[in-house]
Amino acid sequence: MKTTVKERLIAFIEHEQITKSQFCKIVGVSSAYISSMRQSISNEKMQSIALKFPNLNITWLLTGEGEMLRENCQKTPDSASLPEVGYSGSEMLLMRIIEGKDAKIEELSRRIGELEAENRLLKENHIRDMAVSDVDSAVAG
């Protein structure tokens, strides 16, 4: 079942065991923000959410792909894996997005390696099967 950004946001809020009003106050939006959501979340609001809730996987929130929570990330921004001093909010958001993309690239590279190894094995088996078939044809002929 495909969920909406709004449904995933509500699921995250419930996971955090806070009310929608508390979430809105933390993020700095009106208390009616969630109930009035239609499609997605603006970049400005997304930046605020990412900074206030660094454990939230933004990719999951926007697309539904992956897990709700980021791996190896504490709830508080102070213990986030990225340094915050000297970076603006948008730079921090971009760094988090890049960090997520890097993890995905690493995962896909590993999978490509597995598929290449499987492909080599299939080719070897095919060549062996063709050789056996040729020998069988020569013997029969």
Side-chain angles (χ1 to χ4, degrees):
M1 179 175 92
K2 185 126 172 108
T3 58
T4 65
V5 173
K6 182 177 180 176
E7 290 168 331
R8 289 189 292 273
L9 181 60
I10 291 170
F12 174 74
I13 291 168
E14 291 172 354
H15 176 271
E16 291 294 295
Q17 299 179 338
I18 59 175
T19 66
K20 292 177 191 174
S21 296
Q22 289 170 319
F23 175 86
C24 290
K25 186 175 181 180
I26 291 168
V27 175
V29 295
S30 75
S31 58
Y33 177 75
I34 296 170
S35 60
S36 66
M37 279 181 69
R38 296 287 176 244
Q39 292 291 322
S40 192
I41 301 172
S42 71
N43 289 340
E44 179 183 283
K45 304 292 189 274
M46 188 58 66
Q47 179 179 337
S48 181
I49 292 169
L51 290 173
K52 301 294 182 178
F53 297 94
N55 60 322
L56 174 61
N57 179 350
I58 299 299
T59 301
W60 171 83
L61 180 61
L62 293 175
T63 67
E65 294 179 16
E67 299 297 324
M68 176 191 301
L69 302 178
R70 294 177 64 230
E71 292 181 353
N72 303 322
C73 185
Q74 302 297 323
K75 284 186 175 185
T76 58
D78 297 337
S79 59
S81 61
L82 298 171
E84 293 193 20
V85 178
Y87 295 107
S88 71
S90 59
E91 289 171 328
M92 287 298 295
L93 177 59
L94 289 173
M95 289 171 68
R96 286 196 174 98
I97 291 170
I98 290 168
E99 191 177 68
K101 296 282 186 191
D102 287 347
K104 187 68 172 177
I105 289 169
E106 186 176 318
E107 174 191 332
L108 291 172
S109 293
R110 179 191 52 76
R111 183 66 180 131
I112 288 169
E114 291 170 356
L115 291 171
E116 286 174 340
E118 184 179 338
N119 192 31
R120 275 192 301 276
L121 181 62
L122 289 170
K123 282 181 181 178
E124 290 169 5
N125 288 341
H126 179 70
I127 290 169
R128 187 183 64 241
D129 291 346
M130 292 299 292
V132 169
S133 176
D134 287 347
V135 168
D136 288 346
S137 295
V139 170

